[in-house]
Amino acid sequence: MLNYKIYSAGGFVESAAVLEVRNPFDHSLIATTCLADEVILNKAIIAAQAVRQEMAVLPSYKRFEILRYISDQLKVNRQRLAEVLAAESAKPLRYALAEIDRSAQTFLIAAEEAKRVPKEYMSLDWTPNGTGKEGIVKYFPIGLVAGIAPFNFPMNLAVHKIAPAIASGCPIILKPASSTPLSTLELAKIIDTTELPKGAVSVLPMDRKTGNQLVTDERFALLSFTGSPVVGWEMKKQAGRKKVVLELGGNAGVIVAASADLEKTLQKSIMGAFSYSGQICIHAQRFFVHESLFKAFVEGMKAAAEKLRSGNPLLADTEISSMIDEENAKRVESWIHEAVEQGARLICGGKRQATFVEPTILVNTKDSMKVYAEEVFGPVITIEPYNSIEEAVKLANNTRFGLQCGVFTNLVSELDYCFMHLEVGGVIHNDVPTIRFDQMPYGGIKDSGLGREGVRYAMHDMLEPRILVK
Amino acid sequence: MLNYKIYSAGGFVESAAVLEVRNPFDHSLIATTCLADEVILNKAIIAAQAVRQEMAVLPSYKRFEILRYISDQLKVNRQRLAEVLAAESAKPLRYALAEIDRSAQTFLIAAEEAKRVPKEYMSLDWTPNGTGKEGIVKYFPIGLVAGIAPFNFPMNLAVHKIAPAIASGCPIILKPASSTPLSTLELAKIIDTTELPKGAVSVLPMDRKTGNQLVTDERFALLSFTGSPVVGWEMKKQAGRKKVVLELGGNAGVIVAASADLEKTLQKSIMGAFSYSGQICIHAQRFFVHESLFKAFVEGMKAAAEKLRSGNPLLADTEISSMIDEENAKRVESWIHEAVEQGARLICGGKRQATFVEPTILVNTKDSMKVYAEEVFGPVITIEPYNSIEEAVKLANNTRFGLQCGVFTNLVSELDYCFMHLEVGGVIHNDVPTIRFDQMPYGGIKDSGLGREGVRYAMHDMLEPRILVK
Amino acid sequence: MLNYKIYSAGGFVESAAVLEVRNPFDHSLIATTCLADEVILNKAIIAAQAVRQEMAVLPSYKRFEILRYISDQLKVNRQRLAEVLAAESAKPLRYALAEIDRSAQTFLIAAEEAKRVPKEYMSLDWTPNGTGKEGIVKYFPIGLVAGIAPFNFPMNLAVHKIAPAIASGCPIILKPASSTPLSTLELAKIIDTTELPKGAVSVLPMDRKTGNQLVTDERFALLSFTGSPVVGWEMKKQAGRKKVVLELGGNAGVIVAASADLEKTLQKSIMGAFSYSGQICIHAQRFFVHESLFKAFVEGMKAAAEKLRSGNPLLADTEISSMIDEENAKRVESWIHEAVEQGARLICGGKRQATFVEPTILVNTKDSMKVYAEEVFGPVITIEPYNSIEEAVKLANNTRFGLQCGVFTNLVSELDYCFMHLEVGGVIHNDVPTIRFDQMPYGGIKDSGLGREGVRYAMHDMLEPRILVK
Amino acid sequence: MLNYKIYSAGGFVESAAVLEVRNPFDHSLIATTCLADEVILNKAIIAAQAVRQEMAVLPSYKRFEILRYISDQLKVNRQRLAEVLAAESAKPLRYALAEIDRSAQTFLIAAEEAKRVPKEYMSLDWTPNGTGKEGIVKYFPIGLVAGIAPFNFPMNLAVHKIAPAIASGCPIILKPASSTPLSTLELAKIIDTTELPKGAVSVLPMDRKTGNQLVTDERFALLSFTGSPVVGWEMKKQAGRKKVVLELGGNAGVIVAASADLEKTLQKSIMGAFSYSGQICIHAQRFFVHESLFKAFVEGMKAAAEKLRSGNPLLADTEISSMIDEENAKRVESWIHEAVEQGARLICGGKRQATFVEPTILVNTKDSMKVYAEEVFGPVITIEPYNSIEEAVKLANNTRFGLQCGVFTNLVSELDYCFMHLEVGGVIHNDVPTIRFDQMPYGGIKDSGLGREGVRYAMHDMLEPRILVK
């Protein structure tokens, strides 16, 4: 049986609290690792503090080389890493491979951005007393970063915290999800072979109680959390003096206008709706389709959903597999039942076997149903018709979340209206909201989060300006 | 009789070469001024050189105050200045007033940009030998600027050279057109009352021979010319070591797609086609209309053209008046005749009385006709049908010019295609190409020019970077 | 007796809770106003929410005009406003006039920045799946802003919240300090005459309990607080989901190196040490002087301190006047006593009469004394010798605060070392830390705050990015 | 005997005009290649034009991959390429290796910048008629680039034209120096194995007459020339409508102030003075040393110059070798004689053997001597004393050139003064002017050139803005 040590203070260590990691698809034991206790965590914090200055003065070419090396290693080990990832998360291999590729790309971007940490130079002679004066603004690493990553992109969402931290010169302690710690521990092995100061990065699975120290401990200068809204907002309250970045979820909308190309729209929509069983922050959950296309769209989605190949995530042609655990699968099932009981009509799917939930399409839904109002984080979508673009935007905005929204249209006036009025962090034209490029600013408004990630944007929060007035 | 002295080396002076300024509409004598001779020009150059250092170290708040004061004075004297401008250029008063407003705005923008001269601060530790090194880039005024302005916007096109020069800290000698020197000399009177070092700005009408020294004299660091293509490109060859910016003309296209709103398109098109008798660099000259709208568009334009109120430029409701001189009016008339002889069909207009040319619409034109291939710089347009957006773009690009192009469409795909493929400096959505905002980058490619104006962009060419490696 | 109504929801209103505003110098009653109750506050919030959309779509030229108008009105009413400010705060008139000037400048900067709200446009084709894609990022107003301002710059620190809010398109409710509400209410009168939507700005003195709703009410999207560290950090914990910007205090250091020009250093230091009785966030509190200059510096400061003209703040030649209230004066007095008891040596000052505390200089201080470790916010400084620049920086950093630090030196190596290693938001070369230009990024690290103000920087926190992926 | 074909229109071809390439050190024949005739050049131009559109739409990830691949190949073949370069140019191997490294770095920077081509997004609602309007500015490749590179950095100065051209999407035809074409032809072999469209890059040695077509042919949109001032400025006159960038030479100054660290200054100065026998555009030619250090500096330089190991460029420990040809060596010899005849004092060196000129130091020089007034481009320096920093700057500025200047000082006031007043493109602190980082803006003012190189800056001139007003 494989055993993964955890990565603390520059070394691989063990604790007494063994953690079994199982494949959600067949519940087989993949490997064991352990949970960091307070002693291990404290050592990691002390080690991170100790290398803070060394990290801060690392020349940019060194940060570049380290980050590019990690990027290259991810590519070299692509297949093996994707298999680990697929096994622990039940993410179909094709998507697991894509995630490793994206992680390599994210490290590459960070490598390049390490050389481009912002600097400003400004006139201060806007008033007589500033005559001859100028300002030079340099950005310094903020200090120790606490990162908490979720199960659904166990590699890339951890990378979106680790890579910018290294690029910024900040030590980081990252807590992966307890269900999916293996990819990140594989990454730790790569990081350990670089020239980074020992202790600059620690990867520590923890139980919730120990992990909460990442939130409350004042030695951290920044908490970067990706996960559920309820947990995230509670953390903000407990975070003390540190800065907080929250990447939470949503119930993303998709608008399909009359001028949309139906074939292409269906192709993209099926991916946004059901890839990784909808366990994606920007899962395309609520579709609003112009009434002229409504019937065709619902039929098209039904046909496509029923054709999705389900099964073992480690097989190359699997398109949809299990959810992360039975608890969540049951929750999703119950939400579907609630909706149907309250009047929704089931177009397809709706059934659960163990951790697997069928791709499910609902129409006639209401904004009071959980499948509409909450983040379903499962393979369930709602489709409703609309009449005017103003109505479509109103429907899409009718939620406490605001992450991203897809808009399929070929009219300039409609696209402009959507960009101006959709209350979200991102509007995606002619595609589902389930799109994210790793260099772009990514994050939500309203209950969907606070701040932005995307390498350069994540770095912004890890840096502190200091002006020299001269 | 009014007499305007010319503004050289910080004082108002006279030469023996008297210049009569007449109203092109009725040929009445408005005022006299004079042409600078070589002695006067040389004094202006020496004075400009002498204040170069003083200009360079002017704190930005001083530049701001001076430029804002000029802006305010233009607004205070709006009506009077517009009347001078209308009289010397036969520009209808409504447009003359708009030009004074734009000039005030241009000075205001320059005031603000004077405080925002670019500065850069960059890492140089991208390689081991750069460890610990940084670069600080500051932009210094390039030196003495030579500006040559045309008759058609006698105030604002001079302002687009003078205002950025002051904002950048460069002395400037400006040559207005001999037909329209009065507005610029009025501006000189305002400038003379500011705290600018004497000699920082000179405004000198000159004959072509004397004026050519602005092109050839190596004491100028930059030549900024707005005028005709033939003259401009010849100047570039004679310019020696100095930088050259050329704002030349064109035969701007307009694409009217099937999805355009016909009413609004006609309203805007009539302005682009005939305002100031087409004597505008970005005059909407060649219309390409989707075949589904062609007939309605031609009829709509004809109806609107025939309703334009022509007459005395100084009357408030005049919409179209004389051309700048009879020579040009005759040229335009002959081009119309050439076109008709070669098979073009005259929809309306076509006749000339003295300096006045009727608003003229031609269809069935070919790219070999002067009204199509050359810059007509008169109240003449061509309208041709097209079938696909690719064809429309090919037609619009079928010219040696490339300044701006208007595109009326409501399709995202068409607008994107146009922006990607129109070979111009500016694509104007749902409007004629005859639009310019004074802060935007403005200028042409191909034979239409070299470089960009628009305050911040004009300043870029008046500034020279110097890096401090530290 | 003058009575000021308070400004809520676009109108001037009264409550039952009368607030007397007295001159701290002679305790005379200047005027009465009142404290907003929950009903008034709630109306203000509702009105602010109601105009949110109207504010968001205000074209930039409108924001510019409104902000410039306010700036101009402050200049026109300069003398009168300075007298109100001097009377309520006991700030000597010369400094009160300077504050009005700075407020006018701050509004002017905001006017200009309203036209320069950041926008981004980026390639997304860094990976094959992004081929042909681009991102457009536009910044939208974040929503309703809660501003809490302190007594020490009753006008300009309120303006640093109000002006960026208007420039960003955010409604704002501002709570001035209860001791100094009059300047801000005068500003409200000016704002009321602009074209801003009614309710966009409210100015509401409140007791602490009512005011705390600005912190806890989830209808606010941002809390911007300037005040004491203890209060600020507590607010962060209670702030719920909103963003928080904290501009807190410090015990700023000044380093005087051997190469400093003693005369100029003394001149600047006396201002940084005692202007407005040290009641300034960036009060120069702890001086570290190279041992070669130590004796001369202490003597020079003593001589200068004893020459400061104290008295009535409304007299033109008064240089130092009363502290804000007797409670604070007594606190400062007791801190001086504590220091002397623990071994500090009193060079001059040390005595209190009612609200007046003499300019006080202490040497032989230790980092355990309150006058060294805490923010004294009174006319008290410590002076200690140092030997090497590394030691000086270590001494200056030996505090939980980190706002700004002054460095007097002519050595490149020393200045570079200080900029790299001083743990502060700003390093001021050849001047005291008590310098702030209103356009520069301003704010502290460690316990001195979170985030930055300075118009453009304050606007950054009031804006939310939204990307269009196309 | 090795024979190199030349690279035209995507293939390696030959002409009848054989070019022998000899090692300047021992005149041995290294290889033969040939000169392109007009037919070959014309084919290259046509092929370049043909792929213009294909180049323009290459996604940035493709440009990145191609450029990074070339960078990697340069590193892989580092030793072999350096030997070719050393042999054709007589550049000591240690410097040849450094040049290959820099070329790899330059391609890497270009790879990264290809993803960061500038884009702008701006408000246009600064006036009422702009309400609701915005501008989007995208930069498009300018078209076909003509590059002319000199012998002294046969690889890296060609790379500074080729790499930005590829990054910008412009086809380029590069003419290497006839004495040193081999390195660039080696580079062509690498480029030929990439996915670049065939014809996008051609490398064509040419005689002057054929090469002049790069200057005059209107099919080129940009001429980028690095070489001698006389040739460069003449080209500008003949360049027709195309943009021109000139990177010419100078007689760079070095200021050694009283506060300089003598040991470090000598170490750096000896490199700046004699590396590659002074055949560097930013060769440190004129030293101005504070009188307090003058004697020690002259003695130190003499001692160091006499210790330089001269000889075969291909030996690892050679520090100085031959000049490029006997003609230049004789010219330098004659300039030394002229100086001595006119009163200069020879401190060391002064003698010539065939193509080798000894490291030569002169004092008592005057600004009328060629070794002072002209670009010596040989291993000759002048050293003169000065009294005040103002005098030093005046001396350094006393020339028609203005490329870079080194300043050794530890005083802030002196460094600030130098940065403000030295009329150059770059001021190098505590180092010789002979420093260039490949990402920084590099270029001269006055007779030293027009425009800037440095990847991002070179790209700026290869791109043309197009605004979409919407």
Side-chain angles (χ1 to χ4, degrees), chain C residues 294-360:
Chain C
F294 182 72
K295 197 162 162 251
F297 185 81
V298 172
E299 280 167 14
M301 286 295 280
K302 177 175 193 287
E306 290 174 348
K307 267 195 285 194
L308 288 171
R309 283 184 300 271
S310 68
N312 187 335
L314 286 163
L315 298 181
D317 63 354
T318 295
E319 290 173 319
I320 185 166
S321 183
S322 302
M323 287 186 60
I324 190 67
D325 56 31
E326 199 158 335
E327 184 187 340
N328 272 289
K330 282 182 177 166
R331 177 186 54 75
V332 170
E333 182 184 31
S334 78
W335 289 18
I336 298 170
H337 288 172
E338 183 217 58
V340 172
E341 277 161 25
Q342 294 179 10
R345 188 154 61 86
L346 194 68
I347 298 297
C348 66
K351 286 200 274 299
R352 179 182 70 84
Q353 298 93 11
T355 54
F356 179 76
V357 176
E358 292 177 353
T360 301

Side-chain angles (χ1 to χ4, degrees), chain B residues 280-301:
Chain B
I280 300 178
C281 309
I282 37 180
H283 166 232
Q285 182 172 334
R286 301 176 303 137
F287 287 77
F288 305 103
V289 182
H290 190 265
E291 52 191 19
S292 63
L293 290 179
F294 182 72
K295 195 160 163 255
F297 184 81
V298 171
E299 280 167 13
M301 286 295 280

Side-chain angles (χ1 to χ4, degrees), chain A residues 113-286:
Chain A
E113 293 299 328
K115 299 193 289 197
R116 293 168 174 84
V117 168
K119 289 168 192 263
E120 299 166 43
Y121 180 33
M122 63 182 66
S123 298
L124 294 177
D125 63 349
W126 295 15
T127 43
N129 67 325
T131 303
K133 292 206 180 298
E134 299 179 319
I136 288 179
V137 183
K138 193 165 173 170
Y139 284 76
F140 292 80
I142 194 177
L144 184 45
V145 173
I148 301 179
F151 78 84
N152 60 335
F153 286 85
M155 180 69 94
N156 201 38
L157 290 180
V159 168
H160 266 294
K161 301 184 192 308
I162 294 173
I166 296 173
S168 304
C170 292
I172 181 169
I173 295 177
L174 187 110
K175 175 190 173 305
S178 296
S179 48
T180 58
L182 305 185
S183 318
T184 329
L185 288 169
E186 289 284 354
L187 174 62
K189 291 184 200 169
I190 296 172
I191 290 172
D192 191 55
T193 64
T194 68
E195 286 186 68
L196 265 188
K198 291 299 166 196
V201 177
S202 290
V203 175
L204 302 179
M206 286 177 265
D207 62 21
R208 181 158 293 195
K209 184 167 161 292
T210 312
N212 205 45
Q213 198 178 328
L214 299 190
V215 180
T216 56
D217 194 311
E218 291 284 12
R219 288 174 291 182
F220 293 100
L222 171 72
L223 168 67
S224 177
F225 171 78
T226 303
S228 82
V230 176
V231 175
W233 290 114
E234 182 53 34
M235 283 178 174
K236 179 168 184 296
K237 290 180 193 158
Q238 301 177 21
R241 305 189 178 190
K242 66 179 65 64
K243 272 208 254 182
V244 176
V245 172
L246 301 176
E247 295 293 340
L248 312 176
N251 52 3
V254 183
I255 294 172
V256 180
S259 59
D261 175 317
L262 186 61
E263 257 339 280
K264 287 186 189 164
T265 303
L266 283 168
Q267 226 171 63
K268 304 231 176 209
S269 294
I270 203 74
M271 294 282 293
F274 301 118
S275 65
Y276 195 40
S277 299
Q279 299 169 116
I280 301 178
C281 308
I282 36 180
H283 165 232
Q285 182 173 335
R286 301 175 303 137

